Amino acid sequence: MAVRVERRMFTSAPWGLLAATLLTAGIGIYNLVSASRPPNHPLWGAQSAYLAIGLLAVVGVAAFDYRFIQRMAVPIYLLNIGALVALKFFGHTAKGAESWFVLGPLRVQPAEFMKIGMVLMYARFFNDDYRPGKEGHYGFLRLAIPVLIGLVPILLVLVQPDLGTALMMVFTAATLILFARVRWTVLVAIGVALVFGTGVLWNDYVRVQSEPKFTVVRHHLKKHQDGRIAGWLEPQTDLKGTNYHAMQSKIAVGSGGMTGKGWKDGTQTGLRYLPEQHTDFIFSVWAEEQGFLRCLLLLLLYAVILLGSLGVAYGARDRFGAFVAVGIAAMIFWQVFENIGMVTGLLPITGITLPLMSYGGSSMLSVMIGIGLLVNIGMRRYIF
Amino acid sequence: MELGRNTEGRELRTRFLWLGGFFLLGLFVLALNLYRLMVVRYDEFTALSTDNQFKDVRVRAPRGQIKDRRGEVLVDSRPSYDLTLTPAFCQKCFTDVLPQLAELLNWDETTRAAIEARVRAAHGPQRYQGMVVQVDLDADERDRINVRLHLWSGIEIEKVPHRYYPTHDALAHALGYMNEVTQEELVRLNAGKSVERSPYSLGDYIGRRGVERSFENTLRGRDGARKEVVNARGEVMRDQPTNFPEVQARPGNSVVLSIDARLQAEAERVFPGQAGSIVVLDPKTGFILALVSRPSFDPNMLTGRVSSQQLARLSRDPLQPMVFRAVAEHYHPGSTFKLVTLLAGLHSGAFTPNTTVNCPGGYRLGNRTWRCDLERGHGPMDAHNAVQRSCDVYFYRMGDVIGIDAIAKEARALGLGAVTNLSIAAEVPGIIPDTGYHNRVTPGGYTKGMVLNTAIGQGDVNVTPLQLAVMYAALGNGGKVFTPQVVRRVESASGEVLEEFAPKLVRQIEMSPEEHALIVAALKAVVHDPGGTASRARLKDVVVAGKTGTAQVMRLGAVRLKNYQLPYLERDHAWFAAFAPADDPEVVVVVLNEHSGFGGREAAPAAAAVISKYFELKRSDGSAFGPGWQGPPVVKPAALPIVPVAPPTALPVPEPAQLALPAAPPDAGRSQLADVPGRPGLDGALPLNLVPPPAEQVD
C-alpha cells in the first residue's frame, strides 16, 4: 500500500464537492442544536465529534491509492456480509429491528457500511467484466451475478427488518446496473415489472374488494410496514394511528411557510410532536424552522454534491473509479430522495436517514467514507 | 486516460448526462412537493399546527354569593383541596403510588379497589385528564402527601372552588344546594347557543332547589377561556406563554335576600319542636325576614359530598327533612282560620260585630252535636269574645248561616287555596273546600255538616304556613295581600345593584276600618287580655296581636285522649299567627309546630321570642333593617308599583302536578302526612290505624 503524495493531487481534488459536504454537515449541526434543544439531551456535540471522525475517515480513505481498495473490494464485501449475518446472532434489538451492534458506548449499524461494500463490489465486478461495444450490454444471463451481488446484502438488510435501507440499496444497485448498460429486453422486463408492481399495489391497497380479500404481497408484510403503505396511499385516514407520523411531519413542513418559524421556534419540534425528529425526520425540523427558501438551499447543496460526484466519476482515470463514484452518488441521491419524499408525504414512511443532516455516527461515517472515496478518485485522476 | 475521453469509456458519456439529469429531476420533484406543502397549503398546515399546539382551557367563573339583607354571606365558595391523578403520567401507579396513598389517607379496601378500577378504566384522551381521587383534603392530609409528592408523577393537589353554606341546616330549603349536572340536563340546557350563558360540561355543578336553582343563571356567571401550550403527550408547558388574549371569566352576580340572618338564627334557636316551620315577614311589603323549616338538611353534605348511606338516611327519615314545610306542605289551620269565617260572616250582612251567639258547649245540627272546646260552654259570645276565647260554637253558627262558599270566597281573597308565587320554591296550593269541591271529592257529596268543620279550620281546609303569614299580614295591614318574596335584589360581584325587586301587591281585600279595628282588637285581646288563649306571647313593650290554633290531625274517637297519650304522628299541630305592633304591624310571625299539642303553649312563646328579637335588632340597628337600609319603602296603595299577578297557578318548576296536591284526596280528614303523594314509606313505616270518624270537632 503506497501512500504517494503529489502536487497534482491537491489541484485535482474535488474541492467544490468537499466544500458543499462540509457546509451541509455544518447546517446539519446547526439544525441539530435546535432539534435537540432542552428538555431533550443536546446532540450537536456528539454529532460534531462524528463529523470530526468522518473528516479523519475522508483523509484516511483518500490517503492511499484506491487501486488498493479495488483489490480489497471482495474481502470488504464479504466482511460486511459476515457482519450482517453476525447481527442475526449478536445484534441489539431496538424499535423492533435488529440493526445494531453494541460496542461499549457505541452502537454500530452494519447496514450503513454494507451500502459502501456493495458499491465497491459492483464497481469491481463491472470493471473486471468489461466488454467493449454492444457486446458489453447486459442481457438476462449475464445479469445473474450483478443481481446476486445486490440480492444477498439486500435480503440480509430486509430481514432485520430495515425496509428503508433495503429499498435504497435496491435503487442504488439498479442505478449501477442500468449505468453499466443493459439490453433493451431487460429494460422492457423492468418496465413490465414496474407495471406489475403497481398492479399489485393497486390490488392490495387501492382496489375495493369484498371479503375475503385477495392480496399478493400484503399479507406477508409486517403490520407496521403494511400500515405505512396503506397510510401513504390514504393519507387522510387514521391520523392518530398509522398516519400519525406522516401527518405530523407534513404539518411541521407545511407550517414552515416561505421563511420558517425561526431557529428553535418550531412548535412541532419543540413540543415533540415528531418522534425521531433528530434522525429520520430531521428534515421536518429544518423545513418548519427555516422555511421553503432555505429548503431550496439545502436541495441545492445536495445537487452540488451529486453533480460533483458525477464530475468525479466522469473524470475518473478508470472504470472502477467511475463506477465507485456513480455508486456513491446514487447512494446519496436515493437516500435524500427517499428521506425527503417520506417527510413530505410523497413516499411511504421507511426508516432512512438524511445524509449529513440526520444525527448518528454510522450514517455520518458511511457518508464520509463515500466522500473520502470520491476525493480519492478525484485527486488521482491524472495519476497512473 | 480519462473515462469520458478514452475509447474504453466513451460510451459512458451520454449516460452521465442521463444520470445527472435524473438526479436533478428527482431533486426538482422534491422541491415542487415542498412548494406545494409549504407555500400552497401553508395556511392549512399552520392551522393544524396551531390546533396541535394549543389546548383550550376553561376558566371557571366564580359563582355569585347569596347574602342576607345586611350583606352577611349565607352562601359562598371556599377552596377545596382535591387530590387528582392523571393516569397517563402516573408511573408505578398500581404497585407504588396507590398503595402509598391508601396508607396515607386511610382508605379501606373497597375505596382503594374502586379508585384502582377507575384509573384502569381510563382510555384514550381520558388518560391525560386528571381524575379526582379524593376531595377536601384537610391540612394534615395535605402535609402528608406534599412530603411525598416529589416521589410520584401524575399526582397533584388542586385547589378548586367549592360551594360552602356556613349556615348549615338553617335556611337550607330556601337556599338550596348544588350537585352535578346530569347527562340529560346537559343536552337540554346546552341546546340553543347563547352568548350570555356558557355551556355546561360534564362534572359541572348546577343549583338544586331554592335560590341556587331559581337564580342559577344569575349566580353562575360566564366562563372565560385561555389557551395553553401542550406538547405531544398532552403535558401543559407552563413556561411557554401564548400570545392569545385570555377571555376573562365574568363572575356570577350575587343575590341579596330579604332574610335577616340574626332573626333567622333566633327563629332557628327558639323553634320548639321536632318538625314544623316559622315564617317571619314584613306585612308592609311581603318580604320574608326569616324562614324556618324543620327538620332540615345540611346543603354542604348534599353538594357533592354525600355518601349513599347519608342519602338513604335522609330519604328514609319519617320526618322527611327534604320537605320545605313552609310552602310545600299544607296543614289544617285550626282556629287561626276563624278570622276568615269572621270576615265572611261580617261581609254577608247576617252578622254584625255585636251579634251574639250563645255557647252551651256544643252545636247541634241534625242528629249530631259538634262540641266546643270548653265542655261547659262559653255562654253568650260576640265577635270580639269569640275570637279572644276561640269559641267554636260561635263560628259553627256563623258557618251554618252564611254557608261554605262564602267562607271559601273570603279565604281565596286572603290568598289561601292558591300558591303564593314565592319565586324560589315549588309550592302546594293548599285546599279551600266549597260545595263544588265536596261534590267532586267527598263520597256522597256536600252535606251541611262540612261547613261547620270548615268554619273552624278543620275538615278539608289546608293551608301552608307561608299562606297563613300572608293572610295575617293582610289582616294586620288593613287588607293588602302581598306576594311573599325572599330576594331583595341582584348585585354584581363588585356590589353594584343590577336589579331591585319591588313589593308585589296582589289585591286589596274588602275590609272596612271598623272590621280592621275589630280584628286587631280581638287579636290583641287573645294575647293581652285575661281569658285570651295566647297569654304566653305577651311582651313587655310591644303590643302583639295573634291567634292560636290547635289543628287536629286525627278525628277524635269517643274517648278524649290527652295529647301525650297519642302516637307522635296522631298528635295535634300547634299554630300561632301574630303581628306586632298590633296597630301598625312591622312584622308577622307564623309558627307551626307539628304534632306538639296546644298552640298557645307549643307555638306562641316561640313567636313572642322572634318578635322580641325583631324589636331588639331594630333598636340596636337604629332602624328595622340595619345599615344600608334606606328605611321601609312607603307603601301607599295608590303609589305602590302593582305588579300584576297571574291567576294563582303552581310554579312551573318542578312539575306542578307532582307537588300540588291532587284536588281529590281520598280521605281529607286523615293525617296529611299520609295523604301527600310523593311521600312513600310513611304508610308502611308508621301504620296509622284510622278510627272511623265520628263527626265531632273540637278546638
Side-chain angles (χ1 to χ4, degrees):
Chain A
M1 177 174 108
V3 178
R4 208 175 63 180
V5 181
E6 287 185 30
R7 172 181 285 264
R8 285 177 77 174
M9 286 164 70
F10 291 97
T11 52
S12 46
W15 291 112
L17 171 69
L18 258 178
T21 303
L22 278 176
L23 198 54
T24 311
I27 283 176
I29 288 167
Y30 170 75
N31 192 39
L32 260 184
V33 174
S34 173
S36 64
R37 61 180 180 251
N40 296 302
H41 183 67
L43 297 171
W44 60 273
Q47 183 77 345
S48 306
Y50 296 146
L51 178 59
I53 294 169
L55 287 173
L56 285 179
V58 170
V59 173
V61 170
F64 44 83
D65 197 319
Y66 64 86
R67 272 175 292 199
F68 171 72
I69 299 172
Q70 188 177 353
R71 282 198 297 278
M72 298 300 291
V74 180
I76 290 173
Y77 176 76
L78 291 177
L79 201 69
N80 272 302
I81 298 256
L84 281 181
V85 173
L87 199 60
K88 271 280 141 201
F89 301 102
F90 310 108
H92 174 81
T93 305
K95 294 167 198 153
E98 266 192 325
S99 305
W100 288 272
F101 278 129
V102 175
L103 302 168
L106 294 175
R107 300 214 299 182
V108 182
Q109 222 178 334
E112 290 287 336
F113 301 101
M114 184 72 247
K115 299 184 287 194
I116 308 258
M118 186 185 79
V119 166
L120 290 177
M121 188 65 202
Y122 269 120
R124 170 77 189 270
F125 174 80
F126 287 127
N127 183 65
D128 295 357
D129 199 42
Y130 176 67
R131 292 180 204 175
K134 280 237 176 208
E135 197 114 328
H137 295 193
Y138 284 85
F140 286 108
L141 277 181
R142 276 183 70 211
L143 270 179
I145 298 171
V147 165
L148 204 65
I149 289 173
L151 200 61
V152 172
I154 286 168
L155 284 178
L156 283 171
V157 170
L158 196 60
V159 297
Q160 283 183 354
D162 186 350
L163 185 63
T165 307
L167 271 177
M168 171 253 154
M169 285 167 75
V170 168
F171 291 134
T172 306
T175 309
L176 278 169
I177 290 171
L178 289 176
F179 191 75
R181 287 212 111 158
V182 290
R183 293 196 173 151
W184 64 271
T185 46
V186 176
L187 280 178
V188 169
I190 291 173
V192 169
L194 279 179
V195 169
F196 180 73
T198 314
V200 167
L201 214 56
W202 174 81
N203 174 71
D204 288 10
Y205 288 95
V206 181
R207 188 161 69 100
V208 180
Q209 300 186 66
S210 57
E211 298 288 343
K213 286 183 177 176
F214 167 74
T215 54
V216 183
V217 183
R218 193 171 185 174
H219 55 276
H220 292 300
L221 294 178
K222 293 211 180 250
K223 202 176 169 213
H224 73 275
Q225 295 170 335
D226 172 64
R228 281 171 186 180
I229 297 177
W232 166 53
L233 293 171
E234 281 175 66
Q236 293 308 321
T237 57
D238 197 14
L239 294 180
K240 301 245 177 226
T242 47
N243 271 348
Y244 175 83
H245 279 76
M247 193 61 204
Q248 294 299 336
S249 168
K250 271 159 77 175
I251 291 174
V253 173
S255 64
M258 196 59 93
T259 52
K261 294 177 185 170
W263 190 62
K264 281 192 175 182
D265 284 337
T267 55
Q268 291 283 103
T269 307
L271 302 171
R272 297 196 273 180
Y273 280 91
L274 276 174
E276 303 300 324
Q277 64 192 10
H278 54 283
T279 56
D280 293 356
F281 284 91
I282 192 71
F283 184 76
S284 70
V285 178
W286 181 256
E288 183 186 20
E289 298 188 345
Q290 304 297 333
F292 177 65
L293 294 177
R294 289 190 197 89
C295 283
L296 284 188
L297 174 75
L298 191 64
L299 289 179
L300 199 67
L301 283 171
Y302 282 122
V304 170
I305 292 171
L306 290 173
L307 295 184
S309 309
L310 287 186
V312 167
Y314 187 75
R317 70 183 168 193
D318 54 23
R319 202 171 155 87
F320 175 78
F323 270 91
V324 168
V326 166
I328 285 163
M331 203 178 87
I332 293 173
F333 170 77
W334 285 115
Q335 228 169 307
V336 169
F337 188 78
E338 230 183 284
N339 183 285
I340 297 183
M342 147 188 114
V343 168
T344 54
L346 211 55
L347 296 173
I349 295 201
T350 52
I352 191 139
T353 54
L354 183 60
L356 302 168
M357 292 288 286
S358 287
Y359 171 77
S362 296
S363 165
M364 176 66 90
L365 198 58
S366 79
V367 174
M368 291 314 252
I369 288 172
I371 300 292
L373 286 168
L374 290 171
V375 172
N376 193 336
I377 295 161
M379 63 199 277
R380 288 188 174 79
R381 55 184 166 162
Y382 301 115
I383 311 289
F384 295 97
Chain B
M1 158 177 120
E2 235 177 281
L3 255 185
R5 288 169 221 129
N6 73 348
T7 47
E8 201 174 64
R10 187 151 303 274
E11 77 246 59
L12 286 175
R13 187 192 244 161
T14 49
R15 273 176 266 170
F16 279 116
L17 289 177
W18 276 106
L19 195 56
F22 181 73
F23 285 172
L24 289 181
L25 180 72
L27 294 181
F28 181 71
V29 167
L30 291 180
L32 212 60
N33 193 40
L34 283 175
Y35 181 81
R36 188 175 65 95
L37 287 182
M38 301 176 79
V39 181
V40 179
R41 294 173 70 187
Y42 169 68
D43 293 334
E44 175 192 338
F45 287 114
T46 301
L48 285 170
S49 146
T50 309
D51 268 6
N52 255 353
Q53 188 187 348
F54 298 109
K55 186 175 77 171
D56 286 316
V57 180
R58 193 158 64 118
V59 181
R60 278 177 197 256
R63 192 173 171 92
Q65 295 174 323
I66 302 177
K67 303 176 191 170
D68 89 335
R69 69 186 317 140
R70 295 166 64 249
E72 193 177 325
V73 175
L74 300 175
V75 182
D76 202 357
S77 295
R78 64 168 172 81
S80 162
Y81 294 90
D82 296 351
L83 186 71
T84 61
L85 186 155
T86 312
F89 306 143
C90 183
Q91 280 160 11
K92 295 188 182 169
C93 217
F94 301 108
T95 53
D96 287 12
V97 179
L98 285 178
Q100 287 175 31
L101 281 175
E103 200 176 314
L104 290 174
L105 299 173
N106 298 321
W107 292 342
D108 57 28
E109 208 36 57
T110 39
T111 314
R112 206 190 112 182
I115 291 166
E116 248 191 63
R118 272 174 61 211
V119 176
R120 279 188 207 282
H123 282 298
Q126 284 180 335
R127 288 174 43 75
Y128 294 93
Q129 286 163 6
M131 54 169 70
V132 176
V133 171
Q134 183 161 347
V135 291
D136 262 332
L137 300 174
D138 61 31
D140 216 36
E141 290 168 330
R142 286 204 304 276
D143 284 348
R144 268 180 273 161
I145 287 171
N146 271 327
V147 170
R148 290 164 184 81
L149 213 49
H150 68 280
L151 300 173
W152 304 322
S153 53
I155 301 282
E156 266 180 273
I157 296 180
E158 272 185 65
K159 188 176 155 187
V160 297
H162 186 73
R163 207 66 169 156
Y164 178 54
Y165 302 85
T167 53
H168 295 276
D169 288 22
L171 211 58
H173 298 90
L175 296 176
Y177 61 97
M178 298 183 76
N179 60 22
E180 269 187 42
V181 66
T182 64
Q183 190 68 52
E184 178 263 324
E185 283 170 323
L186 268 186
V187 175
R188 186 162 45 82
L189 294 171
N190 290 347
K193 283 199 171 161
S194 154
V195 192
E196 271 306 297
R197 240 184 44 195
S198 34
Y200 290 85
S201 47
L202 213 59
D204 278 6
Y205 277 47
I206 187 170
R208 308 284 184 199
R209 293 168 167 254
V211 177
E212 290 277 36
R213 180 195 173 117
S214 352
F215 285 80
E216 167 75 12
N217 291 339
T218 308
L219 290 165
R220 193 158 171 256
R222 197 173 56 207
D223 291 340
R226 157 165 67 85
K227 283 189 189 293
E228 273 179 355
V229 180
V230 288
N231 70 7
R233 296 174 64 199
E235 291 171 299
V236 176
M237 310 273 97
R238 295 191 201 282
D239 53 334
Q240 292 186 27
T242 61
N243 293 326
F244 294 93
E246 177 175 331
V247 180
Q248 294 287 330
R250 199 189 59 195
N253 297 322
S254 293
V255 172
V256 180
L257 306 184
S258 56
I259 300 286
D260 188 311
R262 302 166 302 176
L263 201 61
Q264 176 78 26
E266 178 69 2
E268 297 277 354
R269 189 182 70 77
V270 300
F271 183 79
Q274 294 188 56
S277 177
I278 297 181
V279 179
V280 184
L281 59 75
D282 177 357
K284 294 185 159 106
T285 58
F287 280 112
I288 295 173
L289 302 174
L291 201 48
V292 174
S293 176
R294 287 284 186 85
S296 187
F297 59 90
D298 187 349
N300 290 306
M301 181 183 83
L302 286 174
T303 302
R305 302 288 190 262
V306 67
S307 70
S308 48
Q309 292 100 315
Q310 287 170 318
L311 213 55
R313 209 179 307 141
L314 264 184
S315 66
R316 271 204 307 266
D317 191 333
L319 291 180
Q320 312 221 15
M322 298 303 290
V323 174
F324 193 1
R325 285 175 159 75
V327 300
E329 184 69 286
H330 61 192
Y331 307 84
H332 297 316
S335 299
T336 57
F337 189 75
K338 284 174 179 165
L339 291 161
V340 178
T341 311
L342 177 66
L343 267 179
L346 295 175
H347 290 155
S348 73
F351 287 80
T352 69
N354 301 322
T355 308
T356 307
V357 173
N358 184 52
C359 172
Y363 185 78
R364 196 167 174 82
L365 186 70
N367 56 0
R368 285 188 289 186
T369 301
W370 273 257
R371 285 200 301 235
C372 186
D373 188 43
L374 201 62
E375 270 181 281
R376 60 184 159 80
H378 290 99
M381 289 271 122
D382 64 0
H384 182 94
N385 285 329
V387 171
Q388 184 193 349
R389 312 277 297 276
S390 201
C391 173
D392 290 344
V393 171
Y394 178 89
F395 293 101
Y396 289 147
R397 175 72 196 155
M398 197 172 244
D400 199 6
V401 171
I402 64 174
I404 193 169
D405 291 341
I407 298 175
K409 182 168 167 264
E410 196 62 49
R412 295 206 180 94
L414 282 160
L416 305 181
V419 292
T420 63
N421 287 322
L422 178 72
S423 59
I424 59 150
E427 296 179 72
V428 294
I431 301 170
I432 295 301
D434 54 17
T435 26
Y437 167 85
H438 278 297
N439 286 336
R440 210 167 52 242
V441 170
T442 318
Y446 175 72
T447 54
K448 196 81 169 93
M450 290 168 184
V451 72
L452 302 195
N453 289 339
T454 301
I456 61 161
Q458 292 287 153
D460 281 7
V461 183
N462 277 295
V463 304
T464 67
L466 183 64
Q467 285 174 332
L468 204 65
V470 170
M471 172 186 142
Y472 271 78
L475 294 180
N477 66 21
K480 288 186 280 288
V481 177
F482 285 100
T483 297
Q485 293 184 81
V486 79
V487 177
R488 274 217 60 87
R489 60 181 179 272
V490 173
E491 284 179 356
S492 71
S494 52
E496 177 193 354
V497 177
L498 300 176
E499 191 182 357
E500 183 103 38
F501 292 91
K504 286 188 228 170
L505 183 64
V506 183
R507 68 180 78 83
Q508 167 75 52
I509 66 156
E510 183 194 343
M511 187 196 263
S512 66
E514 293 74 33
E515 287 163 354
H516 183 227
L518 167 70
I519 286 169
V520 170
L523 293 179
K524 263 198 282 196
V526 169
V527 177
H528 291 278
D529 289 2
T533 53
S535 54
R536 284 182 176 85
R538 264 180 223 168
L539 291 172
K540 266 206 293 282
D541 40 8
V542 185
V543 182
V544 178
K547 181 78 194 77
T548 58
T550 307
Q552 251 122 26
V553 171
M554 302 295 297
R555 295 199 174 176
L556 295 182
V559 185
R560 198 181 272 221
L561 290 169
K562 287 287 178 201
N563 210 42
Y564 58 83
Q565 292 169 303
L566 291 166
Y568 175 78
L569 288 182
E570 297 174 17
R571 294 179 195 167
D572 300 341
H573 296 318
W575 282 102
F576 188 65
F579 50 82
D583 296 317
D584 182 20
E586 289 171 23
V587 61
V588 171
V589 180
V590 168
V591 176
L592 164 73
N593 189 358
E594 282 184 19
H595 304 298
S596 61
F598 175 53
R601 187 169 54 236
E602 303 296 341
V610 171
I611 293 168
S612 163
K613 182 72 176 180
Y614 173 86
F615 288 103
E616 181 197 320
L617 291 173
K618 182 182 175 184
R619 274 193 301 277
S620 69
D621 290 353
S623 81
F625 307 111
W629 175 248
Q630 289 96 14
V634 183
V635 183
K636 290 180 197 143
L640 193 76
I642 294 173
V643 180
V645 171
T649 48
L651 269 189
V653 277
E655 283 299 291
Q658 290 180 355
L659 260 160
L661 270 189
D667 178 1
R670 254 174 48 172
S671 155
Q672 303 179 13
L673 280 176
D675 273 347
V676 178
R679 306 184 77 177
L682 255 181
D683 285 328
L686 297 154
L688 299 162
N689 297 314
L690 296 177
V691 184
E696 232 175 353
Q697 290 294 339
V698 181
D699 187 4

